[in-house]
Amino acid sequence: MDNNQTNISDSIVLDDNQLVCALTNKVMKATDKERTLQSMINMMIDEYRFPVEDMQRDFKAKFQDNDGKSKTLKIDLAIFNHSKAHDTDELIRVVIVAKDAKVKAQDKKAGVQATLEDILTYTECDFGLWTNGEALHYLHKES
């Protein structure tokens, strides 16, 4: 067998409602959110050329707000400085994926401002993307 062929015993058989994560190679449930997240992962790899090892899904960013309160925000896809530790101080890009297209950008709990503003305000990260699978919104922090 040559190197371009896959051994059948090494193959994964997926159900109709499953997909393989492009970042982790784990089998995931194929929800609207997961399909959108996979599209964002592929875009970061293919179009923006971020190395897979500099990305992490479901990252918990920890920071303090202006009142000194500790906050944690789950980031669907975090991108870090090349070859650096995967921690909040090394965060350079964030991608937030809403549950589905019904979640609008103006949503008070899951919209653009509710999810991206704190990350860009209280961390060194300067660029964020929010999507509901239909709309894309970008926020960039002025230096």
Side-chain angles (χ1 to χ4, degrees):
M1 178 185 299
D2 69 50
N3 290 339
N4 292 330
Q5 293 180 331
T6 302
N7 186 342
I8 297 297
S9 64
D10 293 338
S11 298
I12 298 173
V13 177
L14 299 174
D15 292 337
D16 289 341
N17 66 341
Q18 293 179 316
L19 55 78
V20 176
C21 177
L23 188 59
T24 65
N25 285 326
K26 291 183 180 177
V27 175
M28 308 297 289
K29 187 174 179 183
T31 62
D32 288 344
K33 178 175 180 162
E34 189 63 37
R35 284 186 190 96
T36 302
L37 179 58
Q38 292 305 311
S39 175
M40 295 294 105
I41 291 169
N42 287 323
M43 181 173 65
M44 294 301 143
I45 294 168
D46 297 339
E47 292 179 34
Y48 293 97
R49 304 281 186 224
F50 286 113
V52 170
E53 58 272 10
D54 293 336
M55 292 189 263
Q56 181 178 332
R57 53 180 295 156
D58 304 322
F59 178 74
K60 290 185 175 33
K62 296 178 183 180
F63 54 91
Q64 287 190 341
D65 66 13
N66 286 337
D67 298 327
K69 292 181 183 176
S70 292
K71 290 189 166 196
T72 302
L73 182 65
K74 184 179 146 265
I75 298 169
D76 296 305
L77 180 62
I79 303 171
F80 303 91
N81 282 310
H82 183 57
S83 297
K84 299 293 184 179
H86 288 198
D87 63 40
T88 304
D89 292 338
E90 298 295 338
L91 198 57
I92 59 170
R93 301 283 185 276
V94 297
V95 176
I96 304 294
V97 179
K99 185 173 116 179
D100 57 37
K102 294 176 189 170
V103 178
K104 300 302 176 199
Q106 301 82 9
D107 188 276
K108 291 188 185 320
K109 290 186 179 179
V112 175
Q113 289 185 323
T115 57
L116 289 182
E117 266 191 8
D118 279 353
I119 290 293
L120 298 184
T121 300
Y122 301 114
T123 70
E124 296 300 313
C125 183
D126 62 359
F127 187 84
L129 178 144
W130 179 96
T131 185
N132 63 1
E134 290 182 358
L136 292 173
H137 293 270
Y138 303 93
L139 282 181
H140 185 264
K141 178 169 51 179
E142 296 294 323
S143 301

PDB file of all heavy atoms in Angstrom, residues 10 16 25 32 44 50 70 77 85 110 118 122 133-134 136-137 143:
ATOM      1  N   ASP A  10      -8.103   2.264   9.678  1.00  0.00           N
ATOM      2  CA  ASP A  10      -7.732   3.547  10.264  1.00  0.00           C
ATOM      3  C   ASP A  10      -8.783   4.627  10.000  1.00  0.00           C
ATOM      4  O   ASP A  10      -8.684   5.728  10.509  1.00  0.00           O
ATOM      5  CB  ASP A  10      -6.396   4.038   9.701  1.00  0.00           C
ATOM      6  CG  ASP A  10      -5.235   3.163  10.138  1.00  0.00           C
ATOM      7  OD1 ASP A  10      -5.369   2.470  11.156  1.00  0.00           O
ATOM      8  OD2 ASP A  10      -4.207   3.181   9.434  1.00  0.00           O
ATOM      9  N   ASP A  16     -24.503  10.805  10.152  1.00  0.00           N
ATOM     10  CA  ASP A  16     -24.930  11.996   9.413  1.00  0.00           C
ATOM     11  C   ASP A  16     -24.815  13.271  10.240  1.00  0.00           C
ATOM     12  O   ASP A  16     -24.630  14.347   9.697  1.00  0.00           O
ATOM     13  CB  ASP A  16     -26.375  11.848   8.931  1.00  0.00           C
ATOM     14  CG  ASP A  16     -26.490  10.828   7.808  1.00  0.00           C
ATOM     15  OD1 ASP A  16     -25.456  10.517   7.182  1.00  0.00           O
ATOM     16  OD2 ASP A  16     -27.614  10.351   7.575  1.00  0.00           O
ATOM     17  N   ASN A  25      -9.047  17.169  15.292  1.00  0.00           N
ATOM     18  CA  ASN A  25      -9.280  15.846  14.715  1.00  0.00           C
ATOM     19  C   ASN A  25     -10.232  14.995  15.542  1.00  0.00           C
ATOM     20  O   ASN A  25     -10.258  13.771  15.399  1.00  0.00           O
ATOM     21  CB  ASN A  25      -7.966  15.082  14.474  1.00  0.00           C
ATOM     22  CG  ASN A  25      -7.227  15.616  13.286  1.00  0.00           C
ATOM     23  OD1 ASN A  25      -7.833  16.042  12.314  1.00  0.00           O
ATOM     24  ND2 ASN A  25      -5.911  15.603  13.364  1.00  0.00           N
ATOM     25  N   ASP A  32     -25.334  23.618  13.892  1.00  0.00           N
ATOM     26  CA  ASP A  32     -25.105  24.838  13.108  1.00  0.00           C
ATOM     27  C   ASP A  32     -23.865  25.565  13.617  1.00  0.00           C
ATOM     28  O   ASP A  32     -23.029  26.012  12.836  1.00  0.00           O
ATOM     29  CB  ASP A  32     -26.313  25.778  13.197  1.00  0.00           C
ATOM     30  CG  ASP A  32     -27.516  25.261  12.426  1.00  0.00           C
ATOM     31  OD1 ASP A  32     -27.355  24.354  11.579  1.00  0.00           O
ATOM     32  OD2 ASP A  32     -28.622  25.755  12.683  1.00  0.00           O
ATOM     33  N   MET A  44      -9.105  30.589   9.040  1.00  0.00           N
ATOM     34  CA  MET A  44      -7.891  31.043   9.735  1.00  0.00           C
ATOM     35  C   MET A  44      -6.660  30.272   9.252  1.00  0.00           C
ATOM     36  O   MET A  44      -5.570  30.830   9.147  1.00  0.00           O
ATOM     37  CB  MET A  44      -8.049  30.901  11.253  1.00  0.00           C
ATOM     38  CG  MET A  44      -9.099  31.787  11.861  1.00  0.00           C
ATOM     39  SD  MET A  44      -8.769  33.536  11.567  1.00  0.00           S
ATOM     40  CE  MET A  44     -10.437  34.127  11.335  1.00  0.00           C
ATOM     41  N   PHE A  50      -2.690  31.064   9.792  1.00  0.00           N
ATOM     42  CA  PHE A  50      -2.323  30.851  11.195  1.00  0.00           C
ATOM     43  C   PHE A  50      -2.021  29.370  11.376  1.00  0.00           C
ATOM     44  O   PHE A  50      -2.795  28.517  10.945  1.00  0.00           O
ATOM     45  CB  PHE A  50      -3.447  31.261  12.140  1.00  0.00           C
ATOM     46  CG  PHE A  50      -3.614  32.740  12.286  1.00  0.00           C
ATOM     47  CD1 PHE A  50      -4.742  33.373  11.803  1.00  0.00           C
ATOM     48  CD2 PHE A  50      -2.644  33.505  12.923  1.00  0.00           C
ATOM     49  CE1 PHE A  50      -4.909  34.742  11.934  1.00  0.00           C
ATOM     50  CE2 PHE A  50      -2.807  34.878  13.058  1.00  0.00           C
ATOM     51  CZ  PHE A  50      -3.930  35.498  12.569  1.00  0.00           C
ATOM     52  N   SER A  70     -12.748  39.877  38.689  1.00  0.00           N
ATOM     53  CA  SER A  70     -12.238  38.837  37.806  1.00  0.00           C
ATOM     54  C   SER A  70     -13.355  38.351  36.910  1.00  0.00           C
ATOM     55  O   SER A  70     -14.472  38.129  37.370  1.00  0.00           O
ATOM     56  CB  SER A  70     -11.688  37.663  38.613  1.00  0.00           C
ATOM     57  OG  SER A  70     -10.533  38.061  39.303  1.00  0.00           O
ATOM     58  N   LEU A  77     -12.838  30.248  19.367  1.00  0.00           N
ATOM     59  CA  LEU A  77     -11.557  30.014  18.711  1.00  0.00           C
ATOM     60  C   LEU A  77     -10.603  31.134  19.106  1.00  0.00           C
ATOM     61  O   LEU A  77     -10.865  32.296  18.825  1.00  0.00           O
ATOM     62  CB  LEU A  77     -11.708  29.956  17.192  1.00  0.00           C
ATOM     63  CG  LEU A  77     -10.417  29.711  16.406  1.00  0.00           C
ATOM     64  CD1 LEU A  77      -9.805  28.353  16.769  1.00  0.00           C
ATOM     65  CD2 LEU A  77     -10.673  29.786  14.912  1.00  0.00           C
ATOM     66  N   ALA A  85       2.809  30.536  24.670  1.00  0.00           N
ATOM     67  CA  ALA A  85       1.872  29.816  25.537  1.00  0.00           C
ATOM     68  C   ALA A  85       0.440  30.202  25.195  1.00  0.00           C
ATOM     69  O   ALA A  85       0.165  31.329  24.795  1.00  0.00           O
ATOM     70  CB  ALA A  85       2.159  30.151  26.998  1.00  0.00           C
ATOM     71  N   ALA A 110     -25.367  37.607  23.908  1.00  0.00           N
ATOM     72  CA  ALA A 110     -24.539  36.811  23.001  1.00  0.00           C
ATOM     73  C   ALA A 110     -24.135  37.559  21.736  1.00  0.00           C
ATOM     74  O   ALA A 110     -23.558  36.971  20.830  1.00  0.00           O
ATOM     75  CB  ALA A 110     -25.283  35.532  22.616  1.00  0.00           C
ATOM     76  N   ASP A 118     -15.358  43.220  25.961  1.00  0.00           N
ATOM     77  CA  ASP A 118     -14.543  42.984  27.157  1.00  0.00           C
ATOM     78  C   ASP A 118     -13.183  42.401  26.808  1.00  0.00           C
ATOM     79  O   ASP A 118     -12.162  42.811  27.350  1.00  0.00           O
ATOM     80  CB  ASP A 118     -15.258  42.057  28.138  1.00  0.00           C
ATOM     81  CG  ASP A 118     -16.295  42.780  28.985  1.00  0.00           C
ATOM     82  OD1 ASP A 118     -16.379  44.031  28.905  1.00  0.00           O
ATOM     83  OD2 ASP A 118     -17.019  42.102  29.731  1.00  0.00           O
ATOM     84  N   TYR A 122      -9.993  44.585  27.926  1.00  0.00           N
ATOM     85  CA  TYR A 122      -9.224  44.184  29.106  1.00  0.00           C
ATOM     86  C   TYR A 122      -8.080  43.213  28.835  1.00  0.00           C
ATOM     87  O   TYR A 122      -7.463  42.707  29.762  1.00  0.00           O
ATOM     88  CB  TYR A 122     -10.164  43.590  30.157  1.00  0.00           C
ATOM     89  CG  TYR A 122     -11.222  44.571  30.586  1.00  0.00           C
ATOM     90  CD1 TYR A 122     -12.560  44.352  30.308  1.00  0.00           C
ATOM     91  CD2 TYR A 122     -10.876  45.741  31.257  1.00  0.00           C
ATOM     92  CE1 TYR A 122     -13.542  45.258  30.695  1.00  0.00           C
ATOM     93  CE2 TYR A 122     -11.840  46.657  31.643  1.00  0.00           C
ATOM     94  CZ  TYR A 122     -13.171  46.402  31.362  1.00  0.00           C
ATOM     95  OH  TYR A 122     -14.129  47.303  31.746  1.00  0.00           O
ATOM     96  N   GLY A 133     -23.157  32.703  11.702  1.00  0.00           N
ATOM     97  CA  GLY A 133     -23.244  31.801  10.567  1.00  0.00           C
ATOM     98  C   GLY A 133     -23.740  32.496   9.306  1.00  0.00           C
ATOM     99  O   GLY A 133     -23.551  31.998   8.205  1.00  0.00           O
ATOM    100  N   GLU A 134     -24.359  33.659   9.470  1.00  0.00           N
ATOM    101  CA  GLU A 134     -24.835  34.430   8.317  1.00  0.00           C
ATOM    102  C   GLU A 134     -24.128  35.777   8.217  1.00  0.00           C
ATOM    103  O   GLU A 134     -23.760  36.204   7.142  1.00  0.00           O
ATOM    104  CB  GLU A 134     -26.342  34.646   8.411  1.00  0.00           C
ATOM    105  CG  GLU A 134     -27.143  33.376   8.203  1.00  0.00           C
ATOM    106  CD  GLU A 134     -28.642  33.596   8.257  1.00  0.00           C
ATOM    107  OE1 GLU A 134     -29.089  34.747   8.501  1.00  0.00           O
ATOM    108  OE2 GLU A 134     -29.373  32.613   8.074  1.00  0.00           O
ATOM    109  N   LEU A 136     -21.024  38.471   9.580  1.00  0.00           N
ATOM    110  CA  LEU A 136     -19.700  38.580  10.201  1.00  0.00           C
ATOM    111  C   LEU A 136     -19.542  40.009  10.705  1.00  0.00           C
ATOM    112  O   LEU A 136     -19.846  40.961   9.985  1.00  0.00           O
ATOM    113  CB  LEU A 136     -18.589  38.301   9.187  1.00  0.00           C
ATOM    114  CG  LEU A 136     -18.464  36.886   8.644  1.00  0.00           C
ATOM    115  CD1 LEU A 136     -17.421  36.852   7.530  1.00  0.00           C
ATOM    116  CD2 LEU A 136     -18.091  35.919   9.737  1.00  0.00           C
ATOM    117  N   HIS A 137     -19.065  40.146  11.935  1.00  0.00           N
ATOM    118  CA  HIS A 137     -18.782  41.463  12.499  1.00  0.00           C
ATOM    119  C   HIS A 137     -17.369  41.426  13.062  1.00  0.00           C
ATOM    120  O   HIS A 137     -16.982  40.480  13.745  1.00  0.00           O
ATOM    121  CB  HIS A 137     -19.780  41.819  13.602  1.00  0.00           C
ATOM    122  CG  HIS A 137     -21.169  42.013  13.089  1.00  0.00           C
ATOM    123  ND1 HIS A 137     -21.628  43.235  12.675  1.00  0.00           N
ATOM    124  CD2 HIS A 137     -22.181  41.141  12.904  1.00  0.00           C
ATOM    125  CE1 HIS A 137     -22.877  43.107  12.260  1.00  0.00           C
ATOM    126  NE2 HIS A 137     -23.231  41.834  12.387  1.00  0.00           N
ATOM    127  N   SER A 143      -4.765  51.173  18.752  1.00  0.00           N
ATOM    128  CA  SER A 143      -3.610  51.217  19.656  1.00  0.00           C
ATOM    129  C   SER A 143      -3.227  52.621  20.026  1.00  0.00           C
ATOM    130  O   SER A 143      -3.430  53.557  19.339  1.00  0.00           O
ATOM    131  CB  SER A 143      -2.411  50.530  19.012  1.00  0.00           C
ATOM    132  OG  SER A 143      -2.738  49.197  18.725  1.00  0.00           O
TER     133      SER A 143
END
